[in-house]
Amino acid sequence: MDLSPIWLTLKLAGITTALLIVIGVPFAWWLSRGKSFFKIIIEAIITMPLVLPPSVLGFYLLLAFSPQHGIGKWLRDSFDVQFVFSFQGLVLASVIYSMPFMVGPVKSALQQLPASLAEASYTLGKSQWQTFKSVLLPNIKPSLLTAIVLSFAHTLGEFGVVLMIGGNIPGVTRVASIAVYDSVEKMDYASANNYSLILFSITFVLVIAVFVFNKYQAKSHLG
């Protein structure tokens, strides 16, 4: 059994989740502070991957970053960067596709915190960034962990969007979900079953770990 699709999937999920922590968490904080019409539009755009078929998102990313025209042509000509049929294209697509799973839980948790928490921090001379990093984030650890695990697990199972922009290139873009599909097409059900079991086991362990952590956190707060 070729394990390279599994390692490639784990690499993709790890990089995607790290980028989503850096980008998505501060973005969720920004969205949680007030409600302007502009923020509603931005939030709607971020949420679209939850309701759009993955192939639709992948199709538009394929068009946008095609090296023959548009942004893709400019990136190739200016910086010699190509997102289509490359690992970096998978990362880009995965970040966009999994963004709601990071932003949603973190934003909801931040909005549920009492306003007095941040106000007390401001009166002690803390800046908005210091308050966010040192006061607000520690108080939403369960939601933050849930968002991280959901983003990681969701990336593990991506199929349509990564197939559209990355294709099926062994060692480059052939992630585990595509390997399952490829094995079924070849009627190699044993390999398809092995890939599926590995993905199922990883995601199951991650979800159980989140439930256990959240239960422990709830007990510690009650105690």
Side-chain angles (χ1 to χ4, degrees), residues 71-222:
I71 300 172
K73 186 175 188 303
W74 175 74
L75 287 171
R76 187 193 62 182
D77 295 342
S78 303
F79 305 102
D80 194 27
V81 172
Q82 180 172 320
F83 284 104
V84 175
F85 304 126
S86 66
F87 181 76
Q88 54 263 37
L90 297 189
V91 173
L92 173 67
S94 297
V95 167
I96 294 172
Y97 191 51
S98 293
M99 182 72 76
F101 292 88
M102 180 64 71
V103 171
V106 174
K107 173 180 170 288
S108 296
L110 288 170
Q111 286 179 327
Q112 289 171 15
L113 292 176
S116 57
L117 200 63
E119 290 167 1
S121 178
Y122 297 147
T123 59
L124 293 173
K126 301 289 185 182
S127 66
Q128 289 186 350
W129 174 249
Q130 288 173 324
T131 299
F132 169 65
K133 183 180 65 173
S134 303
V135 178
L136 302 183
L137 278 185
N139 280 280
I140 62 163
K141 281 191 290 187
S143 297
L144 182 59
L145 178 64
T146 299
I148 290 170
V149 171
L150 283 177
S151 300
F152 187 90
H154 185 251
T155 305
L156 291 179
E158 286 174 4
F159 176 73
V161 67
V162 295
L163 181 63
M164 290 294 288
I165 197 168
N168 184 8
I169 306 171
V172 180
T173 63
R174 188 173 185 256
V175 293
S177 58
I178 294 175
V180 172
Y181 177 78
D182 202 31
S183 297
V184 171
E185 276 203 321
K186 295 175 181 176
M187 300 187 74
D188 183 2
Y189 297 124
S191 293
N193 182 56
N194 289 335
Y195 288 128
S196 299
L197 277 176
I198 292 172
L199 288 177
F200 177 85
S201 301
I202 293 171
T203 51
F204 185 74
V205 169
L206 286 173
V207 171
I208 289 294
V210 169
F211 286 155
V212 170
F213 176 81
N214 287 346
K215 187 175 181 180
Y216 171 78
Q217 285 289 111
K219 282 185 176 179
S220 64
H221 282 309
L222 289 173

Side-chain angles (χ1 to χ4, degrees), residues 2-3 7 9 14 21-22 29 55 78 88 108 112 138 140 161 194:
D2 179 17
L3 289 177
W7 296 121
T9 301
I21 292 171
V22 173
W29 173 52
S55 55
S78 303
Q88 54 263 37
S108 296
Q112 289 171 15
I140 62 163
V161 67
N194 289 335

